[in-house]
Amino acid sequence: MRAALAEAAKGVGHTSPNPAVGAVLVCTDKIVARGYHRRAGAPHAEIECLASVSGPVPPRATMYVTLEPCSTTGRTGPCTEAIIASGVKSVVVGAVDPNPHHAGRGLELLKAAGVEVRANVLANECCALNKPFNKWIQTGVPYVIAKCGMSLDGRLTPPPRAERWITSSASRRHANRLRAQVDAILVGGATVRADNPRLTVRAVSKARQPLRVVLSNTGRLPDDAHLFTDRFADRTLVFRNQTLDAVLVELGRKDVTSVLIEGGGDVLGQALDSRVIDEVQIYIGPVFTGGPVFAFGGRGAGSTTEALRLREPRYEQIGDDVFVTGEATYGSTARE
């Protein structure tokens, strides 16, 4: 299953709105075929794996797949039918399909056809690979990552006439790789006016360019901004005078499974107050800047027990910066 997970990881950032899935075929303790889902509309991992088998499937072969094989026809045919037709007699599944309309159906079809099935092997690792898809397929709302680079005193922007960046170039390269894994990047109108950002993925091979989403109360945005004039201008969406919650629902309808909120402080504060943040990615530069622009503004939590906390936070030093990340928990679900 760990080999199947390694295959699935190759598709992360390329398969949305489908999940990233990997599969391997094992015969007498040897992997004889591998496959992963490359993009929506392309063959699923199980089909890729079976297609790479040299000759007929060995009679004692076992397929390991990170997600329950699909049992319905979408952009491609059902993987359960292909597995049964191939002659595979044993299937080991990582995570059960999170779609409540399909969960367990593929397993039952395989069992009914005489295939030996074992499920929930390394299930946590397999589920973690597709956190955005899992949330979106169950709720219709994208997985939300709040990301920013801030000073030690919690400010987003350096003082006037100072260098533009608070964090290092190494941190910015690290953050750029995160952009390559999401469907959309969201900022406020003030950020567009002040920084004229591009919000593109750079220096990542074969990366998809995410949608650029702007929240604006007034709709007054500069016509010559990069978001409206570069070669990805058709991938820019502007939402005027709408709540963040409403925008996320609308993006979910457009098959956006993950959103990276990059600022500014007002939008990040809205996300915090609305409790829509699922994950936090913060880069902290070793500098105190002062000033009025806080990373997370908003109303603030009513008490520490109501505040957002990070579950199993992780810390990494990148150059002189500190990178902090973790999944968000709220209220009574937070750790004491």
Side-chain angles (χ1 to χ4, degrees):
M1 189 59 74
R2 295 199 185 281
L5 276 165
E7 290 296 310
K10 297 176 182 178
V12 171
H14 300 281
T15 62
S16 184
N18 289 352
V21 183
V24 298
L25 196 67
V26 176
C27 187
T28 59
D29 296 327
K30 181 181 179 182
I31 294 176
V32 297
R34 303 171 185 262
Y36 70 96
H37 186 40
R38 298 172 184 269
R39 56 178 174 79
H44 289 185
E46 301 93 320
I47 308 304
E48 284 265 334
C49 182
L50 292 172
S52 69
V53 177
S54 178
V57 172
R60 293 189 177 181
T62 296
M63 176 176 283
Y64 290 78
V65 59
T66 57
L67 184 65
E68 176 182 351
C70 66
S71 56
T72 58
T73 299
R75 292 183 177 93
T76 60
C79 290
T80 49
E81 292 183 4
I83 292 170
I84 293 167
S86 74
V88 170
K89 296 299 182 184
S90 177
V91 174
V92 180
V93 172
V96 174
D97 192 334
N99 187 332
H101 300 294
H102 302 156
R105 185 170 183 268
L107 305 181
E108 293 305 318
L109 288 172
L110 291 174
K111 291 176 183 177
V115 178
E116 180 185 356
V117 176
R118 182 181 171 199
N120 294 312
V121 174
L122 298 185
N124 289 340
E125 290 92 331
C126 292
C127 286
L129 193 70
N130 289 303
K131 290 182 290 186
F133 172 80
N134 295 343
K135 179 187 177 185
W136 174 76
I137 200 66
Q138 294 179 37
T139 68
V141 178
Y143 187 85
V144 176
I145 303 169
K147 171 256 174 182
C148 67
M150 70 181 188
S151 63
L152 281 169
D153 50 342
R155 267 65 171 190
L156 278 182
T157 53
R161 297 180 299 281
E163 293 183 6
R164 178 182 178 186
W165 304 108
I166 290 174
T167 56
S168 66
S169 58
S171 288
R172 297 195 296 276
R173 287 193 298 271
H174 187 277
N176 190 59
R177 292 194 293 271
L178 174 61
R179 284 182 176 179
Q181 298 178 14
V182 299
D183 293 341
I185 302 172
L186 186 150
V187 297
T191 296
V192 176
R193 290 188 290 271
D195 298 338
N196 193 18
R198 295 183 184 275
L199 306 183
T200 54
V201 178
R202 297 178 289 277
V204 178
S205 177
K206 298 180 180 179
R208 296 178 309 138
Q209 292 297 335
L211 291 172
R212 287 95 61 94
V213 181
V214 182
L215 269 62
S216 175
N217 291 330
T218 65
R220 292 194 295 270
L221 300 168
D223 293 335
D224 59 350
H226 294 309
L227 298 183
F228 308 125
T229 58
D230 67 12
R231 61 195 178 100
F232 303 114
D234 62 342
R235 297 189 61 73
T236 299
L237 301 176
V238 177
F239 291 89
R240 180 178 177 182
N241 201 25
Q242 294 190 44
T243 67
L244 178 58
D245 295 275
V247 169
L248 291 174
V249 170
E250 180 61 26
L251 291 175
R253 294 194 186 107
K254 296 179 181 294
D255 288 348
V256 171
T257 67
S258 55
V259 173
L260 179 64
I261 300 180
E262 290 206 1
D266 180 61
V267 176
L268 288 168
Q270 288 182 50
L272 186 62
D273 288 342
S274 300
R275 303 164 76 90
V276 299
I277 297 172
D278 297 295
E279 186 175 326
V280 168
Q281 306 258 4
I282 295 178
Y283 301 83
I284 305 173
V287 59
F288 291 84
T289 65
V293 185
F294 288 91
F296 291 84
R299 299 186 304 273
S303 67
T304 54
T305 58
E306 297 172 359
L308 180 155
R309 293 173 181 262
L310 297 186
R311 179 170 51 238
E312 298 180 359
R314 300 182 300 281
Y315 308 90
E316 177 183 350
Q317 184 166 349
I318 302 176
D320 291 333
D321 304 332
V322 175
F323 175 59
V324 183
T325 183
E327 291 186 43
T329 62
Y330 296 90
S332 60
T333 61
R335 257 184 341 188
E336 294 298 331

